[in-house]
Amino acid sequence: MLQSQLFTKTRREAPKDEVAKNAQLLIRGGYLHKEMAGVYSFLPLGLRVLQKIEGIVREEMDKIGREILMSALSPLEPWKQTGRLNSVDVLMRTLGANELSLAKNDSSYILNYSNEELITPIAQQFNQSYKDLPVAYYQIQTKFRNEVRAKSGLLRGREFRMKDLYSFHRDEEDLKRYYEKVKDSYQTIFDRLEIGTDTFITLASGGDFTLDFSHEFQTLCDAGEDIIYLDRTHKIAYNKEIISEENSKKLNVDFAALEQVHACEVGNIFPLNIKFSKAFNYTYTDEEGKQQLVYMGCYGLGPSRVMGVIVEKLSDEKGIVWPRSVAPFDVHMIELQGSNEEVKAEAKELYRELIQEGVEVLWDDRDARAGEKFADSDLIGIPLRVVVSEKTLSAGKFECVERKTGKTALVSISELIGLLRHV
Ligand code: ATP
Ligand code: MG
């Protein structure tokens, strides 16, 4: 893509009221536009990153579930039925905005914050026999929550992206088996997102669904709002919220001996057991023709929050540093001295060859000073920068700079393509 065709620009300053590092950098880099606290629009670069993250999540989820897309609005009734209409402290509700609108329809709707109230009746409609189970549905969707503090940029949105997976089983054993499968799937996802080594399965409260613990995936991050007690040797952590003498005995862990660190919850998986099947009277017919309650699990993961976490963790004083797997482009091609026809032609040729090889290239074709182009390139954070300039052209070479390390090399087109294939 031509940078002149992005239709956005980098900014020297983030909005005054933006205090989160991730949002400051993403706004300055032209990835996001801030609408209000906790609400952002995704611009071309930002959308590409979000779609890469969601693409990885989707690829892994397709191995263990079926993708659907549920509505973002829902009626009040199912929320009354589960009792959550009055118990969820972040639940949002809509209403016509003015007299004219209200005169036509004065109904009020829920803006879904999670989708158990929708998915349970869907699963119930299609899976009523033991032969139909287990099943698992997932979606990647925008969620709404009335968060009090929305000062952490993408880490805590009032509107944000969530992948939510729901599974339905004949009994607790089958749920447990699947639950372990999801743990592995999540670990693969975080590895592919290149935050795997810093992400730890963390025991957390099971909420009111279960006496068991739930499992969070917590990524070490200074800006994270959670404190976890980390046991690096066993690659496991405990959320501060479950630290108690009782749990120390139950788990046989000396919490005081563990390292306390800030972390951000990027995923959370819950054994729901029969909480929702009971509320909707969702039973299936077993082999003996008897009705049994269905066992459920739910599994959340936040793609937009992950995007914020990556920026928080990997940026440096010059700007963002994307891992290759989620970078908006593989290569940032910088053409210097745009007036020089030879440089222009060479840039065009390099661009053509890279595209042909399936490399994603952002071509800075703007008529701007070298210093400005380099500073923007550092801020935007594409993993590899390739400079086309008069200086190296006579040797048929391009200057290649790795964003993360600053490592520089002079390479030919074929060397560059070889390099990109190997990463
Ligand atoms: P937190 O404790 O951080 O508020 P939660 O436990 O309420 O999160 P879940 O209901 O478990 O969140 O949601 C599933 C996933 O959705 C989370 O693991 C997180 O990745 C993401 N998520 C939840 N709330 C937000 C939010 N306000 N902004 C961005 N992502 C979110
Ligand atoms: Mg959670």
Side-chain angles (χ1 to χ4, degrees):
M1 185 183 286
L2 302 185
Q3 202 162 330
S4 61
Q5 300 298 300
L6 275 181
F7 304 139
T8 58
K9 288 189 177 79
T10 58
R11 299 169 47 157
R12 220 171 291 267
E13 309 273 353
K16 290 260 172 321
D17 66 343
E18 186 55 75
V19 294
K21 178 167 89 172
N22 68 86
Q24 284 177 348
L25 285 170
L26 287 165
I27 292 168
R28 286 182 47 216
Y31 286 84
L32 295 182
H33 183 263
K34 184 171 189 170
E35 305 305 339
M36 60 187 200
V39 179
Y40 301 89
S41 293
F42 287 76
L43 305 177
L45 287 173
L47 183 59
R48 284 181 77 96
V49 175
L50 185 67
Q51 285 174 338
K52 291 233 167 133
I53 295 172
E54 294 183 353
I56 288 173
V57 173
R58 179 173 286 114
E59 268 178 36
E60 295 305 323
M61 283 296 120
D62 280 341
K63 297 176 184 167
I64 59 169
R66 273 305 66 70
E67 184 170 15
I68 58 172
L69 180 60
M70 285 181 264
S71 64
L73 280 185
S74 61
L76 270 52
E77 284 69 30
W79 295 90
K80 287 183 188 153
Q81 202 162 334
T82 60
R84 294 212 292 183
L85 182 63
N86 293 314
S87 66
V88 174
D89 65 355
V90 290
L91 198 61
M92 298 225 244
R93 179 171 167 166
T94 64
L95 197 63
N98 56 47
E99 295 295 319
L100 292 168
S101 168
L102 283 168
K104 282 197 241 163
N105 173 12
D106 63 0
S107 301
S108 167
Y109 308 100
I110 297 297
L111 277 164
N112 297 329
Y113 95 109
S114 184
N115 280 46
E116 287 80 0
E117 275 73 0
L118 283 77
I119 193 65
T120 311
I122 292 175
Q124 182 174 22
Q125 180 168 7
F126 298 106
N127 309 285
Q128 304 216 335
S129 155
Y130 70 93
K131 291 182 199 151
D132 297 322
L133 299 173
V135 292
Y137 303 91
Y138 84 93
Q139 65 167 350
I140 301 175
Q141 191 202 33
T142 298
K143 293 282 189 291
F144 301 89
R145 291 189 183 183
N146 192 18
E147 303 278 5
V148 235
R149 288 166 296 122
K151 289 188 185 147
S152 303
L154 290 183
L155 303 190
R156 187 165 297 285
R158 293 199 166 112
E159 176 182 328
F160 61 95
R161 300 286 288 174
M162 196 201 286
K163 183 284 300 168
D164 38 333
L165 166 73
Y166 307 88
S167 70
F168 301 84
H169 308 268
R170 296 165 64 171
D171 51 34
E172 200 175 354
E173 282 74 78
D174 194 56
L175 164 61
K176 281 193 168 146
R177 251 194 311 275
Y178 186 80
Y179 194 83
E180 292 306 311
K181 218 155 107 176
V182 179
K183 272 191 196 164
D184 290 344
S185 170
Y186 271 42
Q187 201 57 60
T188 306
I189 290 170
F190 295 123
D191 285 344
R192 289 186 62 186
L193 294 170
E194 299 181 49
I195 52 173
T197 50
D198 270 356
T199 301
F200 295 89
I201 291 192
T202 303
L203 269 62
S205 137
D208 54 357
F209 312 138
T210 165
L211 292 175
D212 292 341
F213 295 106
S214 76
H215 294 83
E216 295 173 340
F217 287 76
Q218 292 274 4
T219 308
L220 305 186
C221 178
D222 293 338
E225 293 172 15
D226 288 318
I227 304 255
I228 60 169
Y229 286 56
L230 177 59
D231 176 352
R232 283 186 195 265
T233 332
H234 300 99
K235 272 214 88 172
I236 185 130
Y238 306 89
N239 194 308
K240 191 176 178 182
E241 71 189 14
I242 66 148
I243 301 298
S244 69
E245 208 154 308
E246 191 191 333
N247 281 334
S248 170
K249 282 205 196 93
K250 186 168 166 189
L251 297 163
N252 194 22
V253 178
D254 176 15
F255 294 130
L258 302 178
E259 185 186 346
Q260 288 182 45
V261 281
H262 276 274
C264 183
E265 178 203 306
V266 287
N268 197 182
I269 65 177
F270 271 94
L272 297 173
N273 295 329
I274 54 169
K275 178 181 162 89
F276 289 93
S277 47
K278 224 170 168 178
F280 289 102
N281 191 29
Y282 177 11
T283 59
Y284 70 95
T285 315
D286 71 10
E287 280 105 322
E288 273 97 53
K290 288 204 200 95
Q291 293 301 302
Q292 306 280 2
L293 281 171
V294 168
Y295 276 75
M296 269 179 79
C298 75
Y299 318 84
L301 190 154
S304 52
R305 180 179 280 185
V306 163
M307 182 168 163
V309 166
I310 291 173
V311 174
E312 289 285 341
K313 284 181 72 69
L314 302 182
S315 58
D316 62 18
E317 69 292 343
K318 293 183 197 157
I320 300 168
V321 182
W322 293 112
R324 177 107 192 263
S325 62
V326 305
F329 293 92
D330 301 316
V331 167
H332 200 175
M333 189 178 101
I334 310 249
E335 159 207 330
L336 295 184
Q337 296 144 358
S339 56
N340 181 325
E341 283 311 310
E342 214 184 323
V343 170
K344 191 124 218 140
E346 200 61 31
K348 217 177 201 162
E349 177 56 19
L350 177 61
Y351 184 70
R352 196 188 61 78
E353 289 204 35
L354 288 175
I355 298 286
Q356 206 170 37
E357 286 294 320
V359 178
E360 296 177 346
V361 188
L362 179 65
W363 174 4
D364 191 347
D365 60 330
R366 300 170 306 159
D367 185 16
R369 288 178 302 106
E372 190 182 333
K373 289 192 173 191
F374 290 148
D376 277 356
S377 174
D378 283 337
L379 175 60
I380 290 170
I382 293 167
L384 199 67
R385 176 199 298 168
V386 177
V387 185
V388 185
S389 73
E390 214 166 6
K391 203 170 81 192
T392 60
L393 206 61
S394 50
K397 302 260 181 174
F398 307 97
E399 189 187 61
C400 221
V401 188
E402 196 182 41
R403 173 66 182 86
K404 194 166 146 192
T405 58
K407 247 171 48 192
T408 303
L410 274 184
V411 296
S412 65
I413 289 194
S414 59
E415 284 166 340
L416 175 60
I417 288 168
L419 200 78
L420 286 162
R421 280 213 196 99
H422 280 100
V423 194

